Amino acid sequence: MALYKEDGALLHGHFLLSSGLHSDTYLQSARVLQYPGHAARLCAAMVAGIPDDLRRRISCVVGPAMGAVLVSYECGRALGVRSLFTEREAGQMVLRRGFVLAPGEGVLVVEDITTTGGSTRECMAAVTAAGGQVLAASAIIDRSSGFSDFDGAPFFPLLKLPVLTWEAAACPLCAAGGTPVKPGSRGLS
């Protein structure tokens, strides 16, 4: 959290998250990941939290674009394996750019932030569709309050941070007359 605070990446206000939920807290990982030293440090700590026996079976790291491209790269570097990313094509997350996985190849799926885990699950589906085997998932920050389920794959977030989120209809900030902003990769810069 110190890096997020130091880099101005911990924001307070009224936000519309990529998941569609509203929150009074936003974590802008790009502000931290713009510094290679910070990215390397965070991602090395992420993979260090994965049990040794599982870590040894990982031969590729995959993350959904755009937010997890750097996370995937730095986790791949820390593990000494290659790094790929998924992208949306016709509304579906897929491997593109000639990226391929060997049948049964052991994959770690990574994200910067998880709230509902939707992007992570979409990335996992793309890995499976490409013939890979998802061994585990990880994130810099899990703000799901333990509600993310990754179809039985173990989840190893670096930090669990309870952040309040609401459906739009139940958002107290909206009820008070506020309008959410969307500062993430699919919204405002």
Side-chain angles (χ1 to χ4, degrees):
M1 277 318 307
L3 288 178
Y4 275 75
K5 289 176 184 173
E6 174 186 325
D7 294 336
L10 177 61
L11 310 174
H12 298 285
H14 185 185
F15 304 102
L16 174 60
L17 306 177
S18 294
S19 63
L21 298 174
H22 290 210
S23 183
D24 62 354
T25 305
Y26 190 83
L27 299 148
Q28 181 57 276
S29 295
R31 287 190 179 178
V32 177
L33 298 174
Q34 71 179 321
Y35 300 105
H38 293 176
R41 197 166 118 205
L42 287 170
C43 295
M46 281 173 67
V47 301
I50 298 170
D52 289 342
D53 60 324
L54 188 57
R55 201 170 50 233
R56 283 191 293 274
R57 296 173 45 212
I58 296 167
S59 62
C60 186
V61 180
V62 180
M66 185 72 198
V69 171
L70 293 174
V71 177
S72 176
Y73 183 84
E74 286 298 337
C75 286
R77 183 201 314 245
L79 289 167
V81 302
R82 64 197 180 109
S83 164
L84 309 178
F85 55 88
T86 59
E87 300 174 84
R88 292 194 189 284
E89 184 175 77
Q92 184 174 347
M93 199 74 79
V94 296
L95 288 172
R96 296 178 50 201
R97 302 174 190 269
F99 290 153
V100 294
L101 295 169
E105 184 171 0
V107 175
L108 170 65
V109 173
V110 297
E111 256 289 16
D112 59 339
I113 308 288
T114 58
T115 303
T116 64
S119 294
T120 302
R121 280 190 297 282
E122 287 181 72
C123 186
M124 292 170 79
V127 165
T128 301
Q133 178 187 8
V134 177
L135 299 176
S138 185
I140 298 172
I141 298 175
D142 174 18
R143 66 176 173 206
S144 74
S145 299
F147 295 113
S148 289
D149 174 24
F150 299 113
D151 303 321
F155 181 45
F156 302 99
L158 180 58
L159 175 67
K160 292 181 181 184
L161 182 68
V163 174
L164 295 175
T165 58
W166 307 276
E167 295 288 341
C171 177
L173 303 172
C174 287
T179 302
V181 295
K182 187 171 170 104
S185 61
R186 294 187 223 167
L188 304 173
S189 56

